[in-house]
Amino acid sequence: MNVWIAIAVTALGCYAVKLIGLLVPEGVLERPLVQRLAALLPVALLAALTAQQTFADGRALVLDARAAGVAAAAVALLLRAPFLLVVAAAVIVTAGVRAITG
């Protein structure tokens, strides 16, 4: 029964967030600060998710092949490489480190 309560609370929460978003006046949404924050929020969330998935295993900090792949992607981005090359560099370095370390 607790699962259904959690599902109902989640559904109501999602509906409330959607409703609040629809009730925000247009004047608020047109402010430059709000537009800048709305543009940067997905980037920040994606960066946080990437960091959590790369450096965390449960409640422990982990530095393994994934960290080397992220570092390779960062270097490729600094060198202004195309996106597919950034992803390929991360994959190749991660696979190489895993092959070397076992």
Side-chain angles (χ1 to χ4, degrees), residues 3-72:
V3 172
W4 288 109
I5 293 172
I7 291 172
V9 169
T10 303
L12 287 173
C14 289
Y15 181 76
V17 168
K18 182 82 168 180
L19 183 62
I20 290 169
L22 292 173
L23 294 177
V24 173
E26 279 189 43
V28 173
L29 298 176
E30 293 175 357
R31 294 181 183 166
L33 178 63
V34 173
Q35 289 180 348
R36 193 169 39 224
L37 288 175
L40 293 176
L41 188 62
V43 175
L45 291 173
L46 183 59
L49 178 63
T50 301
Q52 194 275 331
Q53 291 292 317
T54 301
F55 301 115
D57 185 21
R59 298 179 68 98
L61 178 65
V62 177
L63 294 175
D64 59 2
R66 295 176 293 183
V70 170

Short mmCIF file of all heavy atoms in Angstrom, two decimals, residues 3-72:
data_model
loop_
_atom_site.label_atom_id
_atom_site.label_comp_id
_atom_site.label_asym_id
_atom_site.label_seq_id
_atom_site.Cartn_x
_atom_site.Cartn_y
_atom_site.Cartn_z
N VAL A 3 3.48 1.87 -1.67
CA VAL A 3 3.89 2.18 -3.04
C VAL A 3 2.83 3.06 -3.71
O VAL A 3 3.16 4.04 -4.39
CB VAL A 3 4.13 0.89 -3.84
CG1 VAL A 3 4.36 1.20 -5.30
CG2 VAL A 3 5.27 0.10 -3.25
N TRP A 4 1.57 2.76 -3.50
CA TRP A 4 0.50 3.54 -4.12
C TRP A 4 0.43 4.94 -3.53
O TRP A 4 0.11 5.90 -4.22
CB TRP A 4 -0.83 2.81 -3.99
CG TRP A 4 -0.88 1.63 -4.89
CD1 TRP A 4 -0.84 0.32 -4.53
CD2 TRP A 4 -0.91 1.65 -6.31
NE1 TRP A 4 -0.86 -0.47 -5.64
CE2 TRP A 4 -0.90 0.31 -6.76
CE3 TRP A 4 -0.95 2.66 -7.27
CZ2 TRP A 4 -0.93 -0.03 -8.10
CZ3 TRP A 4 -0.98 2.32 -8.60
CH2 TRP A 4 -0.97 1.00 -9.01
N ILE A 5 0.75 5.06 -2.25
CA ILE A 5 0.79 6.40 -1.64
C ILE A 5 1.91 7.21 -2.27
O ILE A 5 1.74 8.38 -2.60
CB ILE A 5 0.95 6.28 -0.11
CG1 ILE A 5 -0.30 5.66 0.50
CG2 ILE A 5 1.23 7.65 0.51
CD1 ILE A 5 -0.17 5.32 1.97
N ALA A 6 3.07 6.58 -2.45
CA ALA A 6 4.20 7.28 -3.07
C ALA A 6 3.87 7.67 -4.50
O ALA A 6 4.21 8.78 -4.95
CB ALA A 6 5.43 6.38 -3.03
N ILE A 7 3.20 6.81 -5.24
CA ILE A 7 2.81 7.12 -6.62
C ILE A 7 1.83 8.29 -6.64
O ILE A 7 1.96 9.22 -7.45
CB ILE A 7 2.23 5.88 -7.31
CG1 ILE A 7 3.33 4.85 -7.54
CG2 ILE A 7 1.54 6.25 -8.63
CD1 ILE A 7 2.84 3.51 -8.04
N ALA A 8 0.86 8.28 -5.73
CA ALA A 8 -0.13 9.36 -5.69
C ALA A 8 0.52 10.69 -5.31
O ALA A 8 0.23 11.73 -5.92
CB ALA A 8 -1.23 9.01 -4.69
N VAL A 9 1.42 10.67 -4.32
CA VAL A 9 2.10 11.90 -3.91
C VAL A 9 2.97 12.43 -5.05
O VAL A 9 3.00 13.63 -5.32
CB VAL A 9 2.93 11.65 -2.63
CG1 VAL A 9 3.86 12.81 -2.34
CG2 VAL A 9 2.00 11.40 -1.45
N THR A 10 3.67 11.54 -5.75
CA THR A 10 4.50 11.95 -6.87
C THR A 10 3.65 12.55 -7.99
O THR A 10 4.01 13.58 -8.57
CB THR A 10 5.32 10.76 -7.40
OG1 THR A 10 6.09 10.23 -6.33
CG2 THR A 10 6.22 11.17 -8.54
N ALA A 11 2.52 11.91 -8.28
CA ALA A 11 1.64 12.42 -9.33
C ALA A 11 1.09 13.80 -8.96
O ALA A 11 1.08 14.72 -9.79
CB ALA A 11 0.49 11.45 -9.58
N LEU A 12 0.69 13.97 -7.72
CA LEU A 12 0.20 15.27 -7.28
C LEU A 12 1.31 16.32 -7.31
O LEU A 12 1.07 17.47 -7.69
CB LEU A 12 -0.39 15.17 -5.87
CG LEU A 12 -1.74 14.45 -5.77
CD1 LEU A 12 -2.13 14.27 -4.31
CD2 LEU A 12 -2.80 15.22 -6.53
N GLY A 13 2.51 15.93 -6.91
CA GLY A 13 3.65 16.86 -6.96
C GLY A 13 3.96 17.31 -8.38
O GLY A 13 4.19 18.49 -8.64
N CYS A 14 3.94 16.36 -9.32
CA CYS A 14 4.20 16.70 -10.72
C CYS A 14 3.11 17.63 -11.26
O CYS A 14 3.41 18.59 -11.97
CB CYS A 14 4.26 15.42 -11.57
SG CYS A 14 5.73 14.45 -11.27
N TYR A 15 1.88 17.34 -10.91
CA TYR A 15 0.78 18.20 -11.35
C TYR A 15 0.92 19.60 -10.76
O TYR A 15 0.71 20.61 -11.45
CB TYR A 15 -0.56 17.59 -10.96
CG TYR A 15 -1.75 18.41 -11.40
CD1 TYR A 15 -2.15 18.42 -12.73
CD2 TYR A 15 -2.44 19.21 -10.50
CE1 TYR A 15 -3.22 19.18 -13.15
CE2 TYR A 15 -3.51 19.98 -10.91
CZ TYR A 15 -3.89 19.96 -12.23
OH TYR A 15 -4.95 20.73 -12.63
N ALA A 16 1.29 19.69 -9.49
CA ALA A 16 1.46 20.99 -8.83
C ALA A 16 2.58 21.79 -9.48
O ALA A 16 2.44 23.00 -9.70
CB ALA A 16 1.73 20.80 -7.34
N VAL A 17 3.70 21.15 -9.79
CA VAL A 17 4.81 21.85 -10.43
C VAL A 17 4.38 22.36 -11.81
O VAL A 17 4.68 23.49 -12.19
CB VAL A 17 6.05 20.93 -10.53
CG1 VAL A 17 7.10 21.52 -11.45
CG2 VAL A 17 6.62 20.68 -9.15
N LYS A 18 3.68 21.53 -12.56
CA LYS A 18 3.19 21.94 -13.88
C LYS A 18 2.21 23.12 -13.75
O LYS A 18 2.28 24.09 -14.51
CB LYS A 18 2.50 20.75 -14.55
CG LYS A 18 1.99 21.00 -15.92
CD LYS A 18 3.08 20.87 -16.91
CE LYS A 18 2.50 20.83 -18.31
NZ LYS A 18 3.51 20.71 -19.31
N LEU A 19 1.32 23.05 -12.78
CA LEU A 19 0.35 24.11 -12.59
C LEU A 19 1.02 25.41 -12.17
O LEU A 19 0.68 26.49 -12.68
CB LEU A 19 -0.68 23.69 -11.53
CG LEU A 19 -1.82 24.67 -11.26
CD1 LEU A 19 -2.66 24.88 -12.52
CD2 LEU A 19 -2.68 24.17 -10.12
N ILE A 20 1.99 25.33 -11.28
CA ILE A 20 2.73 26.53 -10.87
C ILE A 20 3.44 27.16 -12.07
O ILE A 20 3.46 28.38 -12.23
CB ILE A 20 3.72 26.20 -9.74
CG1 ILE A 20 2.95 25.88 -8.46
CG2 ILE A 20 4.70 27.33 -9.50
CD1 ILE A 20 3.81 25.29 -7.36
N GLY A 21 4.02 26.32 -12.93
CA GLY A 21 4.68 26.83 -14.12
C GLY A 21 3.73 27.55 -15.06
O GLY A 21 4.08 28.55 -15.69
N LEU A 22 2.51 27.06 -15.14
CA LEU A 22 1.52 27.69 -16.01
C LEU A 22 0.96 28.98 -15.41
O LEU A 22 0.48 29.86 -16.13
CB LEU A 22 0.37 26.72 -16.30
CG LEU A 22 0.74 25.51 -17.17
CD1 LEU A 22 -0.42 24.54 -17.23
CD2 LEU A 22 1.15 25.96 -18.56
N LEU A 23 0.99 29.10 -14.09
CA LEU A 23 0.43 30.27 -13.42
C LEU A 23 1.40 31.44 -13.29
O LEU A 23 1.02 32.51 -12.87
CB LEU A 23 -0.09 29.88 -12.03
CG LEU A 23 -1.29 28.92 -12.02
CD1 LEU A 23 -1.64 28.54 -10.60
CD2 LEU A 23 -2.48 29.52 -12.74
N VAL A 24 2.67 31.24 -13.64
CA VAL A 24 3.66 32.31 -13.55
C VAL A 24 3.31 33.37 -14.61
O VAL A 24 3.13 33.04 -15.79
CB VAL A 24 5.08 31.77 -13.78
CG1 VAL A 24 6.09 32.89 -13.85
CG2 VAL A 24 5.45 30.79 -12.69
N PRO A 25 3.23 34.63 -14.21
CA PRO A 25 2.90 35.68 -15.18
C PRO A 25 3.98 35.82 -16.26
O PRO A 25 5.16 35.59 -16.01
CB PRO A 25 2.84 36.95 -14.32
CG PRO A 25 2.73 36.49 -12.91
CD PRO A 25 3.34 35.14 -12.86
N GLU A 26 3.56 36.22 -17.46
CA GLU A 26 4.49 36.36 -18.58
C GLU A 26 5.55 37.42 -18.31
O GLU A 26 6.69 37.30 -18.76
CB GLU A 26 3.74 36.71 -19.86
CG GLU A 26 3.12 35.52 -20.54
CD GLU A 26 2.59 35.88 -21.91
OE1 GLU A 26 3.29 36.61 -22.65
OE2 GLU A 26 1.49 35.44 -22.22
N GLY A 27 5.20 38.44 -17.55
CA GLY A 27 6.16 39.49 -17.23
C GLY A 27 7.36 38.96 -16.47
O GLY A 27 8.49 39.43 -16.66
N VAL A 28 7.14 37.98 -15.62
CA VAL A 28 8.24 37.37 -14.86
C VAL A 28 9.14 36.57 -15.81
O VAL A 28 10.37 36.60 -15.70
CB VAL A 28 7.69 36.47 -13.73
CG1 VAL A 28 8.80 35.70 -13.06
CG2 VAL A 28 6.92 37.30 -12.73
N LEU A 29 8.53 35.86 -16.74
CA LEU A 29 9.30 35.02 -17.65
C LEU A 29 10.12 35.82 -18.65
O LEU A 29 11.08 35.30 -19.21
CB LEU A 29 8.36 34.07 -18.40
CG LEU A 29 7.60 33.08 -17.52
CD1 LEU A 29 6.63 32.26 -18.36
CD2 LEU A 29 8.54 32.18 -16.76
N GLU A 30 9.74 37.07 -18.89
CA GLU A 30 10.46 37.89 -19.86
C GLU A 30 11.64 38.64 -19.26
O GLU A 30 12.38 39.29 -19.99
CB GLU A 30 9.48 38.88 -20.50
CG GLU A 30 8.44 38.20 -21.37
CD GLU A 30 7.40 39.17 -21.90
OE1 GLU A 30 7.45 40.36 -21.55
OE2 GLU A 30 6.53 38.72 -22.67
N ARG A 31 11.85 38.56 -17.96
CA ARG A 31 12.98 39.23 -17.33
C ARG A 31 14.29 38.59 -17.78
O ARG A 31 14.37 37.36 -17.91
CB ARG A 31 12.87 39.16 -15.82
CG ARG A 31 11.69 39.92 -15.28
CD ARG A 31 11.62 39.84 -13.78
NE ARG A 31 10.43 40.53 -13.31
CZ ARG A 31 9.96 40.40 -12.10
NH1 ARG A 31 10.56 39.64 -11.21
NH2 ARG A 31 8.88 41.06 -11.74
N PRO A 32 15.32 39.39 -18.03
CA PRO A 32 16.61 38.84 -18.49
C PRO A 32 17.23 37.84 -17.51
O PRO A 32 17.78 36.83 -17.93
CB PRO A 32 17.50 40.07 -18.65
CG PRO A 32 16.56 41.23 -18.77
CD PRO A 32 15.34 40.84 -18.01
N LEU A 33 17.12 38.09 -16.23
CA LEU A 33 17.69 37.18 -15.25
C LEU A 33 17.01 35.82 -15.30
O LEU A 33 17.67 34.77 -15.28
CB LEU A 33 17.58 37.76 -13.83
CG LEU A 33 18.09 36.86 -12.70
CD1 LEU A 33 19.59 36.61 -12.88
CD2 LEU A 33 17.78 37.46 -11.36
N VAL A 34 15.69 35.81 -15.41
CA VAL A 34 14.94 34.55 -15.48
C VAL A 34 15.29 33.80 -16.75
O VAL A 34 15.48 32.58 -16.74
CB VAL A 34 13.42 34.82 -15.37
CG1 VAL A 34 12.62 33.55 -15.61
CG2 VAL A 34 13.08 35.42 -14.02
N GLN A 35 15.41 34.51 -17.87
CA GLN A 35 15.77 33.85 -19.13
C GLN A 35 17.18 33.27 -19.07
O GLN A 35 17.43 32.17 -19.56
CB GLN A 35 15.64 34.83 -20.29
CG GLN A 35 14.20 35.17 -20.60
CD GLN A 35 14.06 36.13 -21.76
OE1 GLN A 35 15.04 36.73 -22.20
NE2 GLN A 35 12.85 36.30 -22.24
N ARG A 36 18.11 34.00 -18.45
CA ARG A 36 19.48 33.52 -18.33
C ARG A 36 19.54 32.29 -17.45
O ARG A 36 20.21 31.30 -17.76
CB ARG A 36 20.36 34.63 -17.79
CG ARG A 36 21.83 34.37 -17.92
CD ARG A 36 22.67 35.58 -17.61
NE ARG A 36 22.14 36.36 -16.48
CZ ARG A 36 22.05 37.67 -16.45
NH1 ARG A 36 22.46 38.38 -17.48
NH2 ARG A 36 21.57 38.30 -15.41
N LEU A 37 18.80 32.31 -16.32
CA LEU A 37 18.77 31.15 -15.43
C LEU A 37 18.11 29.95 -16.11
O LEU A 37 18.56 28.81 -15.94
CB LEU A 37 18.04 31.50 -14.13
CG LEU A 37 18.78 32.43 -13.18
CD1 LEU A 37 17.90 32.78 -12.00
CD2 LEU A 37 20.08 31.81 -12.72
N ALA A 38 17.05 30.20 -16.86
CA ALA A 38 16.37 29.10 -17.57
C ALA A 38 17.28 28.47 -18.62
O ALA A 38 17.20 27.27 -18.87
CB ALA A 38 15.09 29.61 -18.21
N ALA A 39 18.16 29.27 -19.22
CA ALA A 39 19.08 28.74 -20.22
C ALA A 39 20.21 27.94 -19.57
O ALA A 39 20.71 26.97 -20.13
CB ALA A 39 19.65 29.86 -21.06
N LEU A 40 20.63 28.35 -18.36
CA LEU A 40 21.77 27.70 -17.71
C LEU A 40 21.37 26.51 -16.84
O LEU A 40 22.21 25.65 -16.55
CB LEU A 40 22.52 28.72 -16.85
CG LEU A 40 23.24 29.82 -17.62
CD1 LEU A 40 23.87 30.81 -16.65
CD2 LEU A 40 24.28 29.24 -18.55
N LEU A 41 20.14 26.42 -16.42
CA LEU A 41 19.71 25.36 -15.52
C LEU A 41 19.90 23.96 -16.11
O LEU A 41 20.43 23.08 -15.42
CB LEU A 41 18.26 25.58 -15.10
CG LEU A 41 17.74 24.67 -14.01
CD1 LEU A 41 18.54 24.86 -12.73
CD2 LEU A 41 16.27 24.93 -13.76
N PRO A 42 19.51 23.68 -17.36
CA PRO A 42 19.75 22.34 -17.90
C PRO A 42 21.23 21.96 -17.94
O PRO A 42 21.60 20.82 -17.68
CB PRO A 42 19.16 22.39 -19.31
CG PRO A 42 18.19 23.52 -19.27
CD PRO A 42 18.74 24.50 -18.30
N VAL A 43 22.09 22.93 -18.24
CA VAL A 43 23.53 22.66 -18.29
C VAL A 43 24.03 22.28 -16.90
O VAL A 43 24.80 21.34 -16.73
CB VAL A 43 24.29 23.89 -18.84
CG1 VAL A 43 25.78 23.67 -18.77
CG2 VAL A 43 23.84 24.18 -20.25
N ALA A 44 23.59 23.03 -15.89
CA ALA A 44 24.02 22.74 -14.52
C ALA A 44 23.52 21.38 -14.05
O ALA A 44 24.26 20.62 -13.41
CB ALA A 44 23.51 23.84 -13.59
N LEU A 45 22.29 21.04 -14.38
CA LEU A 45 21.75 19.74 -13.98
C LEU A 45 22.47 18.60 -14.68
O LEU A 45 22.76 17.57 -14.07
CB LEU A 45 20.24 19.68 -14.27
CG LEU A 45 19.37 20.57 -13.39
CD1 LEU A 45 17.93 20.54 -13.88
CD2 LEU A 45 19.45 20.13 -11.94
N LEU A 46 22.78 18.78 -15.97
CA LEU A 46 23.50 17.75 -16.69
C LEU A 46 24.92 17.58 -16.14
O LEU A 46 25.41 16.46 -16.00
CB LEU A 46 23.55 18.07 -18.18
CG LEU A 46 24.22 17.03 -19.07
CD1 LEU A 46 23.52 15.69 -18.95
CD2 LEU A 46 24.23 17.49 -20.51
N ALA A 47 25.57 18.69 -15.80
CA ALA A 47 26.91 18.61 -15.21
C ALA A 47 26.88 17.90 -13.86
O ALA A 47 27.75 17.07 -13.55
CB ALA A 47 27.50 20.01 -15.06
N ALA A 48 25.87 18.19 -13.04
CA ALA A 48 25.75 17.53 -11.74
C ALA A 48 25.49 16.04 -11.91
O ALA A 48 26.08 15.21 -11.19
CB ALA A 48 24.63 18.17 -10.93
N LEU A 49 24.64 15.68 -12.85
CA LEU A 49 24.36 14.26 -13.10
C LEU A 49 25.60 13.55 -13.60
O LEU A 49 25.91 12.44 -13.16
CB LEU A 49 23.22 14.13 -14.11
CG LEU A 49 22.85 12.70 -14.51
CD1 LEU A 49 22.32 11.95 -13.30
CD2 LEU A 49 21.82 12.71 -15.61
N THR A 50 26.35 14.17 -14.50
CA THR A 50 27.58 13.58 -15.01
C THR A 50 28.59 13.39 -13.88
O THR A 50 29.22 12.32 -13.77
CB THR A 50 28.19 14.47 -16.11
OG1 THR A 50 27.23 14.60 -17.16
CG2 THR A 50 29.46 13.87 -16.66
N ALA A 51 28.76 14.38 -13.04
CA ALA A 51 29.70 14.27 -11.92
C ALA A 51 29.29 13.17 -10.96
O ALA A 51 30.12 12.38 -10.51
CB ALA A 51 29.81 15.60 -11.20
N GLN A 52 28.00 13.10 -10.67
CA GLN A 52 27.53 12.07 -9.74
C GLN A 52 27.72 10.67 -10.32
O GLN A 52 28.15 9.76 -9.62
CB GLN A 52 26.06 12.33 -9.39
CG GLN A 52 25.54 11.55 -8.21
CD GLN A 52 25.06 10.16 -8.56
OE1 GLN A 52 24.62 9.89 -9.67
NE2 GLN A 52 25.17 9.27 -7.63
N GLN A 53 27.43 10.50 -11.58
CA GLN A 53 27.56 9.19 -12.21
C GLN A 53 29.02 8.80 -12.42
O GLN A 53 29.35 7.63 -12.48
CB GLN A 53 26.82 9.16 -13.55
CG GLN A 53 25.33 9.22 -13.42
CD GLN A 53 24.77 7.96 -12.79
OE1 GLN A 53 25.15 6.86 -13.11
NE2 GLN A 53 23.84 8.14 -11.86
N THR A 54 29.90 9.79 -12.54
CA THR A 54 31.31 9.51 -12.80
C THR A 54 32.09 9.25 -11.53
O THR A 54 32.90 8.33 -11.47
CB THR A 54 31.95 10.70 -13.56
OG1 THR A 54 31.24 10.88 -14.78
CG2 THR A 54 33.41 10.42 -13.88
N PHE A 55 31.87 10.04 -10.51
CA PHE A 55 32.73 10.02 -9.33
C PHE A 55 32.09 9.41 -8.10
O PHE A 55 32.71 9.41 -7.04
CB PHE A 55 33.20 11.44 -9.01
CG PHE A 55 33.96 12.08 -10.12
CD1 PHE A 55 33.47 13.18 -10.77
CD2 PHE A 55 35.17 11.56 -10.54
CE1 PHE A 55 34.17 13.76 -11.81
CE2 PHE A 55 35.88 12.13 -11.57
CZ PHE A 55 35.38 13.24 -12.21
N ALA A 56 30.87 8.88 -8.18
CA ALA A 56 30.22 8.33 -7.00
C ALA A 56 29.80 6.89 -7.24
O ALA A 56 29.39 6.51 -8.33
CB ALA A 56 29.01 9.16 -6.63
N ASP A 57 29.95 6.09 -6.18
CA ASP A 57 29.45 4.72 -6.17
C ASP A 57 28.75 4.54 -4.84
O ASP A 57 29.39 4.26 -3.83
CB ASP A 57 30.59 3.72 -6.35
CG ASP A 57 30.08 2.30 -6.46
OD1 ASP A 57 28.91 2.11 -6.81
OD2 ASP A 57 30.88 1.38 -6.19
N GLY A 58 27.45 4.75 -4.85
CA GLY A 58 26.73 4.75 -3.59
C GLY A 58 27.08 6.00 -2.82
O GLY A 58 26.86 7.11 -3.25
N ARG A 59 27.73 5.81 -1.66
CA ARG A 59 28.12 6.94 -0.83
C ARG A 59 29.63 7.15 -0.84
O ARG A 59 30.15 7.91 -0.03
CB ARG A 59 27.62 6.71 0.59
CG ARG A 59 26.10 6.63 0.67
CD ARG A 59 25.64 6.39 2.08
NE ARG A 59 25.89 7.51 2.95
CZ ARG A 59 25.00 8.42 3.27
NH1 ARG A 59 23.79 8.36 2.75
NH2 ARG A 59 25.31 9.40 4.10
N ALA A 60 30.33 6.50 -1.74
CA ALA A 60 31.79 6.59 -1.77
C ALA A 60 32.26 7.32 -3.02
O ALA A 60 31.65 7.23 -4.08
CB ALA A 60 32.40 5.20 -1.74
N LEU A 61 33.38 8.03 -2.87
CA LEU A 61 34.01 8.70 -4.00
C LEU A 61 34.89 7.70 -4.72
O LEU A 61 35.68 6.99 -4.10
CB LEU A 61 34.86 9.88 -3.51
CG LEU A 61 35.63 10.65 -4.56
CD1 LEU A 61 34.66 11.35 -5.49
CD2 LEU A 61 36.56 11.64 -3.92
N VAL A 62 34.76 7.64 -6.05
CA VAL A 62 35.49 6.66 -6.84
C VAL A 62 36.22 7.37 -7.97
O VAL A 62 35.63 8.17 -8.70
CB VAL A 62 34.53 5.60 -7.44
CG1 VAL A 62 35.27 4.62 -8.31
CG2 VAL A 62 33.79 4.87 -6.34
N LEU A 63 37.50 7.09 -8.11
CA LEU A 63 38.28 7.58 -9.25
C LEU A 63 38.74 6.37 -10.04
O LEU A 63 39.61 5.63 -9.62
CB LEU A 63 39.47 8.42 -8.78
CG LEU A 63 39.11 9.72 -8.09
CD1 LEU A 63 40.36 10.40 -7.55
CD2 LEU A 63 38.37 10.65 -9.03
N ASP A 64 38.13 6.15 -11.19
CA ASP A 64 38.48 5.00 -12.02
C ASP A 64 38.56 5.43 -13.48
O ASP A 64 38.82 6.60 -13.77
CB ASP A 64 37.47 3.86 -11.81
CG ASP A 64 36.04 4.26 -12.13
OD1 ASP A 64 35.81 5.40 -12.55
OD2 ASP A 64 35.15 3.42 -11.96
N ALA A 65 38.34 4.51 -14.38
CA ALA A 65 38.47 4.80 -15.81
C ALA A 65 37.49 5.87 -16.27
O ALA A 65 37.78 6.62 -17.21
CB ALA A 65 38.26 3.51 -16.61
N ARG A 66 36.34 5.96 -15.63
CA ARG A 66 35.37 6.98 -16.02
C ARG A 66 35.93 8.39 -15.83
O ARG A 66 35.68 9.28 -16.64
CB ARG A 66 34.08 6.82 -15.22
CG ARG A 66 33.36 5.51 -15.54
CD ARG A 66 32.16 5.34 -14.66
NE ARG A 66 32.62 5.15 -13.28
CZ ARG A 66 31.82 4.92 -12.26
NH1 ARG A 66 30.53 4.88 -12.43
NH2 ARG A 66 32.31 4.75 -11.05
N ALA A 67 36.69 8.58 -14.76
CA ALA A 67 37.30 9.89 -14.51
C ALA A 67 38.29 10.24 -15.62
O ALA A 67 38.36 11.40 -16.06
CB ALA A 67 37.98 9.90 -13.15
N ALA A 68 39.05 9.25 -16.06
CA ALA A 68 39.99 9.50 -17.17
C ALA A 68 39.23 9.86 -18.45
O ALA A 68 39.67 10.73 -19.20
CB ALA A 68 40.86 8.27 -17.39
N GLY A 69 38.10 9.22 -18.68
CA GLY A 69 37.29 9.54 -19.85
C GLY A 69 36.73 10.96 -19.81
O GLY A 69 36.73 11.68 -20.80
N VAL A 70 36.28 11.38 -18.63
CA VAL A 70 35.77 12.74 -18.48
C VAL A 70 36.91 13.75 -18.67
O VAL A 70 36.73 14.80 -19.30
CB VAL A 70 35.09 12.93 -17.10
CG1 VAL A 70 34.78 14.39 -16.83
CG2 VAL A 70 33.82 12.10 -17.03
N ALA A 71 38.09 13.42 -18.15
CA ALA A 71 39.25 14.31 -18.33
C ALA A 71 39.61 14.43 -19.82
O ALA A 71 39.89 15.53 -20.31
CB ALA A 71 40.44 13.79 -17.54
N ALA A 72 39.56 13.32 -20.54
CA ALA A 72 39.85 13.36 -21.98
C ALA A 72 38.80 14.19 -22.71
O ALA A 72 39.13 14.97 -23.62
CB ALA A 72 39.88 11.94 -22.54
#
